[in-house]
Amino acid sequence: MLGNKLRRSREPWWERALVTGASTGIGRAMAVQLAAAGVDLVLVARSGDRLEELAAELRAAGGQLDVEVVEADLCDPEGLAAVEKRVEAEEAPVDLVVNNAGLGYEGPFYDQDGAEVAETIGVNVVALTRLTHAALRTMADRGRGQVILVSSMASLQGMPMTAVYSATKAFITSLGEALYEEHKGTGVTVTTVLPGLTRTEFHQRGRWNLDGWPSVGWQSAEAVASEALRAASRARPEVVTGRHNKVLALLSSKSPRGLRRSIIGWAARRN
Ligand SMILES: NC(=O)c1ccc[n+]([C@@H]2O[C@H](COP(=O)([O-])OP(=O)(O)OC[C@H]3O[C@@H](n4cnc5c(N)ncnc54)[C@H](OP(=O)(O)O)[C@@H]3O)[C@@H](O)[C@H]2O)c1
């Protein structure tokens, strides 16, 4: 279905997309939807087996589709360098880079594991920035290309108990906003995506305690992926996915920072 929606979109057509974090969740859903729209793929994640399985599924469904698998840990300098190299390659060039891989652990900052703090910053900030840099440098030369940055609603506010995660996402939203303006009129665009609560493996991996979290407003990975790709195909600077999140983002933008901080702090302490 999204294939049809993308085909009807007014914006440039991607030939090959590189998607980080394509083994599961939002990244996987984006890969499936891009494949349905006839876009060749480079799938990136650590779980090579899951990527190979997905690649086989997409090839079987997509006829002529070219699907590559790059098994890489974005926290590992060698893994990151390999993905950077693929982004910059002249052969079978990538014209859409989806920086989706991300993670975040819940818990008081003082109590967090140092290695997990470094992993969060390593994937969400360092890898995302280096892959975006590699993409934009290459795309600027070609005068064509698009980058998607998957941020979060958590970027709109410092979040107690997920302080490092929300800080990394604030970095992404800020980076995306600046880069969109830097590239205006060049044929290259950067779209930042702000999902809210989405049903994926994310919370389980990050040991989030979801007791007391709202049961409304959750989206599926497919719905987030579809809104993200549509926004990018229309060269939008930013998209908050889901009606519920759009309302929350609007309220957040209208309320004084101190009030927002107090409400979120109170909710976190209560939890
Ligand atoms: N779920 C939500 O509620 C939510 C809300 C807002 C924003 N987001 C954002 O959406 C993005 C996707 O998250 P998701 O919900 O789809 O989570 P997910 O189901 O946990 O998927 C995360 C993906 O990132 C990959 N990844 C993690 N660490 C990696 C590393 N070191 N190297 C390479 N790949 C790595 C994982 O693959 P491997 O484990 O195979 O490496 C996996 O494919 C993230 O940036 C997240 O912050 C999620």
Side-chain angles (χ1 to χ4, degrees):
M1 197 165 92
L2 183 102
N4 292 335
K5 279 186 195 153
L6 282 182
R7 274 189 200 103
R8 286 201 299 271
S9 70
R10 291 166 274 134
E11 289 302 327
W13 186 242
W14 307 303
E15 285 174 12
R16 190 178 306 267
L18 180 144
V19 183
T20 69
S23 61
T24 184
I26 297 169
R28 188 185 196 283
M30 287 212 218
V32 169
Q33 293 178 15
L34 285 163
V39 182
D40 289 332
L41 288 165
V42 183
L43 308 175
V44 180
R46 288 167 302 185
S47 316
D49 49 346
R50 283 177 126 180
L51 293 182
E52 289 295 355
E53 213 172 287
L54 174 62
E57 213 175 284
L58 298 179
R59 284 184 203 114
Q64 298 296 310
L65 208 67
D66 182 15
V67 186
E68 289 170 53
V69 165
V70 180
E71 181 180 332
D73 182 346
L74 294 174
C75 274
D76 168 53
E78 274 181 33
L80 179 55
V83 184
E84 264 181 322
K85 207 168 152 206
R86 182 60 192 90
V87 166
E88 291 171 341
E90 287 302 326
E91 202 176 317
V94 165
D95 48 21
L96 171 66
V97 170
V98 183
N99 275 296
N100 162 76
L103 68 137
Y105 293 96
E106 193 188 50
F109 178 65
Y110 73 85
D111 202 27
Q112 296 221 314
D113 179 90
E116 291 180 346
V117 170
E119 180 194 4
T120 308
I121 297 170
V123 176
N124 298 7
V125 175
V126 178
L128 174 137
T129 305
R130 282 191 40 190
L131 295 181
T132 302
H133 186 237
L136 293 179
R137 207 169 41 203
T138 315
M139 291 169 179
D141 287 345
R142 295 185 195 132
R144 181 169 175 268
Q146 289 193 276
V147 173
I148 295 178
L149 304 180
V150 180
S151 182
S152 167
M153 287 286 287
S155 69
L156 300 177
Q157 172 68 49
M159 306 284 285
M161 304 302 280
T162 56
V164 174
Y165 176 68
S166 66
T168 63
K169 293 293 174 178
F171 173 91
I172 298 172
T173 299
S174 170
L175 182 75
E177 190 174 27
L179 294 179
Y180 175 85
E181 286 299 326
E182 266 187 35
H183 290 273
K184 225 175 197 169
T186 65
V188 176
T189 58
V190 178
T191 298
T192 307
V193 182
L194 280 68
L197 295 167
T198 311
R199 282 180 293 274
T200 66
E201 296 176 10
F202 176 87
H203 299 98
Q204 194 190 350
R205 286 172 183 240
R207 300 187 296 272
W208 292 47
N209 173 8
L210 296 179
D211 297 348
W213 280 71
S215 56
V216 290
W218 284 76
Q219 285 192 288
S220 67
E222 289 71 24
V224 172
S226 158
E227 283 192 63
L229 292 174
R230 205 164 331 129
S233 75
R234 292 172 183 179
R236 296 268 150 79
E238 187 178 287
V239 59
V240 172
T241 69
R243 229 173 291 158
H244 187 87
N245 295 325
K246 283 181 178 63
V247 172
L248 286 178
L250 181 70
L251 290 176
S252 164
S253 71
K254 303 282 177 216
S255 53
R257 199 177 178 100
L259 177 66
R260 264 185 354 240
R261 189 182 58 233
S262 301
I263 292 173
I264 297 219
W266 169 79
R269 281 188 297 278
R270 206 169 143 257
N271 212 15

mmCIF file of all heavy atoms in Angstrom, residues 6-25:
data_model
loop_
_atom_site.group_PDB
_atom_site.id
_atom_site.type_symbol
_atom_site.label_atom_id
_atom_site.label_comp_id
_atom_site.label_asym_id
_atom_site.label_seq_id
_atom_site.Cartn_x
_atom_site.Cartn_y
_atom_site.Cartn_z
ATOM 1 N N LEU A 6 3.874 6.066 -2.189
ATOM 2 C CA LEU A 6 5.141 6.675 -2.586
ATOM 3 C C LEU A 6 5.174 6.929 -4.080
ATOM 4 O O LEU A 6 5.674 7.942 -4.533
ATOM 5 C CB LEU A 6 6.317 5.785 -2.197
ATOM 6 C CG LEU A 6 6.714 5.833 -0.738
ATOM 7 C CD1 LEU A 6 7.918 4.945 -0.518
ATOM 8 C CD2 LEU A 6 7.037 7.243 -0.283
ATOM 9 N N ARG A 7 4.602 6.006 -4.847
ATOM 10 C CA ARG A 7 4.599 6.196 -6.301
ATOM 11 C C ARG A 7 3.834 7.457 -6.675
ATOM 12 O O ARG A 7 4.147 8.113 -7.637
ATOM 13 C CB ARG A 7 3.963 4.986 -6.991
ATOM 14 C CG ARG A 7 4.988 3.919 -7.234
ATOM 15 C CD ARG A 7 4.470 2.807 -8.092
ATOM 16 N NE ARG A 7 5.317 1.674 -7.864
ATOM 17 C CZ ARG A 7 5.005 0.635 -7.120
ATOM 18 N NH1 ARG A 7 3.846 0.533 -6.560
ATOM 19 N NH2 ARG A 7 5.867 -0.327 -6.926
ATOM 20 N N ARG A 8 2.798 7.781 -5.844
ATOM 21 C CA ARG A 8 1.980 8.956 -6.162
ATOM 22 C C ARG A 8 2.626 10.240 -5.645
ATOM 23 O O ARG A 8 2.149 11.316 -5.912
ATOM 24 C CB ARG A 8 0.595 8.813 -5.532
ATOM 25 C CG ARG A 8 -0.288 7.806 -6.250
ATOM 26 C CD ARG A 8 -1.749 8.073 -5.928
ATOM 27 N NE ARG A 8 -2.010 7.953 -4.508
ATOM 28 C CZ ARG A 8 -2.357 6.820 -3.912
ATOM 29 N NH1 ARG A 8 -2.486 5.734 -4.598
ATOM 30 N NH2 ARG A 8 -2.590 6.793 -2.614
ATOM 31 N N SER A 9 3.709 10.131 -4.865
ATOM 32 C CA SER A 9 4.293 11.328 -4.261
ATOM 33 C C SER A 9 4.951 12.170 -5.355
ATOM 34 O O SER A 9 5.326 11.690 -6.401
ATOM 35 C CB SER A 9 5.296 10.950 -3.179
ATOM 36 O OG SER A 9 6.413 10.389 -3.775
ATOM 37 N N ARG A 10 5.092 13.477 -5.016
ATOM 38 C CA ARG A 10 5.541 14.408 -6.046
ATOM 39 C C ARG A 10 7.052 14.501 -6.111
ATOM 40 O O ARG A 10 7.613 15.141 -6.958
ATOM 41 C CB ARG A 10 4.989 15.807 -5.721
ATOM 42 C CG ARG A 10 3.497 15.909 -5.883
ATOM 43 C CD ARG A 10 2.978 17.171 -5.233
ATOM 44 N NE ARG A 10 2.709 16.972 -3.812
ATOM 45 C CZ ARG A 10 3.060 17.788 -2.858
ATOM 46 N NH1 ARG A 10 3.716 18.873 -3.116
ATOM 47 N NH2 ARG A 10 2.774 17.524 -1.594
ATOM 48 N N GLU A 11 7.741 13.906 -5.161
ATOM 49 C CA GLU A 11 9.157 14.211 -4.985
ATOM 50 C C GLU A 11 10.080 13.191 -5.628
ATOM 51 O O GLU A 11 9.631 12.184 -6.133
ATOM 52 C CB GLU A 11 9.424 14.361 -3.491
ATOM 53 C CG GLU A 11 8.819 15.628 -2.926
ATOM 54 C CD GLU A 11 9.309 16.884 -3.583
ATOM 55 O OE1 GLU A 11 10.487 16.935 -4.000
ATOM 56 O OE2 GLU A 11 8.544 17.832 -3.725
ATOM 57 N N PRO A 12 11.380 13.460 -5.613
ATOM 58 C CA PRO A 12 12.324 12.605 -6.322
ATOM 59 C C PRO A 12 12.190 11.133 -5.963
ATOM 60 O O PRO A 12 11.874 10.781 -4.829
ATOM 61 C CB PRO A 12 13.691 13.103 -5.864
ATOM 62 C CG PRO A 12 13.466 14.254 -4.995
ATOM 63 C CD PRO A 12 12.017 14.520 -4.891
ATOM 64 N N TRP A 13 12.479 10.357 -6.852
ATOM 65 C CA TRP A 13 12.334 8.922 -6.707
ATOM 66 C C TRP A 13 13.667 8.330 -6.263
ATOM 67 O O TRP A 13 14.671 8.544 -6.913
ATOM 68 C CB TRP A 13 11.884 8.355 -8.056
ATOM 69 C CG TRP A 13 11.567 6.920 -7.964
ATOM 70 C CD1 TRP A 13 12.180 5.919 -8.629
ATOM 71 C CD2 TRP A 13 10.588 6.314 -7.153
ATOM 72 N NE1 TRP A 13 11.633 4.726 -8.276
ATOM 73 C CE2 TRP A 13 10.661 4.932 -7.369
ATOM 74 C CE3 TRP A 13 9.653 6.794 -6.227
ATOM 75 C CZ2 TRP A 13 9.828 4.035 -6.724
ATOM 76 C CZ3 TRP A 13 8.831 5.895 -5.582
ATOM 77 C CH2 TRP A 13 8.921 4.532 -5.839
ATOM 78 N N TRP A 14 13.680 7.548 -5.193
ATOM 79 C CA TRP A 14 14.926 6.936 -4.739
ATOM 80 C C TRP A 14 15.196 5.662 -5.508
ATOM 81 O O TRP A 14 14.288 4.878 -5.766
ATOM 82 C CB TRP A 14 14.840 6.595 -3.250
ATOM 83 C CG TRP A 14 14.426 7.753 -2.410
ATOM 84 C CD1 TRP A 14 15.043 8.972 -2.338
ATOM 85 C CD2 TRP A 14 13.289 7.830 -1.537
ATOM 86 N NE1 TRP A 14 14.364 9.797 -1.469
ATOM 87 C CE2 TRP A 14 13.281 9.114 -0.965
ATOM 88 C CE3 TRP A 14 12.288 6.946 -1.177
ATOM 89 C CZ2 TRP A 14 12.322 9.536 -0.061
ATOM 90 C CZ3 TRP A 14 11.319 7.362 -0.269
ATOM 91 C CH2 TRP A 14 11.351 8.639 0.285
ATOM 92 N N GLU A 15 16.449 5.447 -5.842
ATOM 93 C CA GLU A 15 16.800 4.194 -6.510
ATOM 94 C C GLU A 15 17.330 3.179 -5.515
ATOM 95 O O GLU A 15 17.087 1.987 -5.639
ATOM 96 C CB GLU A 15 17.828 4.466 -7.602
ATOM 97 C CG GLU A 15 17.135 5.126 -8.786
ATOM 98 C CD GLU A 15 18.058 5.571 -9.875
ATOM 99 O OE1 GLU A 15 19.243 5.171 -9.854
ATOM 100 O OE2 GLU A 15 17.589 6.311 -10.740
ATOM 101 N N ARG A 16 18.106 3.700 -4.536
ATOM 102 C CA ARG A 16 18.694 2.771 -3.564
ATOM 103 C C ARG A 16 18.761 3.461 -2.186
ATOM 104 O O ARG A 16 19.293 4.559 -2.080
ATOM 105 C CB ARG A 16 20.107 2.386 -3.998
ATOM 106 C CG ARG A 16 20.718 1.245 -3.178
ATOM 107 C CD ARG A 16 22.100 0.914 -3.715
ATOM 108 N NE ARG A 16 22.072 0.645 -5.130
ATOM 109 C CZ ARG A 16 21.932 -0.570 -5.677
ATOM 110 N NH1 ARG A 16 21.852 -1.629 -4.909
ATOM 111 N NH2 ARG A 16 21.908 -0.713 -6.985
ATOM 112 N N ALA A 17 18.222 2.777 -1.185
ATOM 113 C CA ALA A 17 18.219 3.338 0.174
ATOM 114 C C ALA A 17 19.064 2.484 1.105
ATOM 115 O O ALA A 17 19.020 1.251 1.020
ATOM 116 C CB ALA A 17 16.785 3.392 0.697
ATOM 117 N N LEU A 18 19.838 3.143 1.948
ATOM 118 C CA LEU A 18 20.563 2.440 3.017
ATOM 119 C C LEU A 18 19.805 2.716 4.311
ATOM 120 O O LEU A 18 19.564 3.878 4.653
ATOM 121 C CB LEU A 18 22.005 2.931 3.092
ATOM 122 C CG LEU A 18 22.888 2.284 4.173
ATOM 123 C CD1 LEU A 18 24.330 2.105 3.664
ATOM 124 C CD2 LEU A 18 22.891 3.091 5.472
ATOM 125 N N VAL A 19 19.432 1.639 5.008
ATOM 126 C CA VAL A 19 18.639 1.778 6.243
ATOM 127 C C VAL A 19 19.420 1.171 7.399
ATOM 128 O O VAL A 19 19.717 -0.040 7.387
ATOM 129 C CB VAL A 19 17.273 1.059 6.119
ATOM 130 C CG1 VAL A 19 16.435 1.269 7.381
ATOM 131 C CG2 VAL A 19 16.508 1.528 4.888
ATOM 132 N N THR A 20 19.743 1.977 8.401
ATOM 133 C CA THR A 20 20.405 1.416 9.586
ATOM 134 C C THR A 20 19.328 0.930 10.560
ATOM 135 O O THR A 20 18.236 1.497 10.629
ATOM 136 C CB THR A 20 21.333 2.435 10.286
ATOM 137 O OG1 THR A 20 20.537 3.464 10.874
ATOM 138 C CG2 THR A 20 22.354 3.026 9.323
ATOM 139 N N GLY A 21 19.661 -0.119 11.293
ATOM 140 C CA GLY A 21 18.681 -0.688 12.225
ATOM 141 C C GLY A 21 17.533 -1.341 11.466
ATOM 142 O O GLY A 21 16.369 -1.242 11.864
ATOM 143 N N ALA A 22 17.872 -2.030 10.366
ATOM 144 C CA ALA A 22 16.826 -2.620 9.511
ATOM 145 C C ALA A 22 16.424 -4.014 9.968
ATOM 146 O O ALA A 22 15.549 -4.629 9.368
ATOM 147 C CB ALA A 22 17.319 -2.664 8.065
ATOM 148 N N SER A 23 17.042 -4.519 11.046
ATOM 149 C CA SER A 23 16.758 -5.901 11.440
ATOM 150 C C SER A 23 15.413 -6.055 12.135
ATOM 151 O O SER A 23 14.869 -7.154 12.211
ATOM 152 C CB SER A 23 17.876 -6.436 12.344
ATOM 153 O OG SER A 23 17.957 -5.659 13.516
ATOM 154 N N THR A 24 14.880 -4.949 12.661
ATOM 155 C CA THR A 24 13.621 -5.037 13.417
ATOM 156 C C THR A 24 12.969 -3.656 13.535
ATOM 157 O O THR A 24 13.566 -2.643 13.138
ATOM 158 C CB THR A 24 13.889 -5.650 14.815
ATOM 159 O OG1 THR A 24 12.662 -5.813 15.504
ATOM 160 C CG2 THR A 24 14.802 -4.782 15.647
ATOM 161 N N GLY A 25 11.758 -3.620 14.051
ATOM 162 C CA GLY A 25 11.096 -2.362 14.402
ATOM 163 C C GLY A 25 10.882 -1.408 13.232
ATOM 164 O O GLY A 25 10.532 -1.825 12.115
#
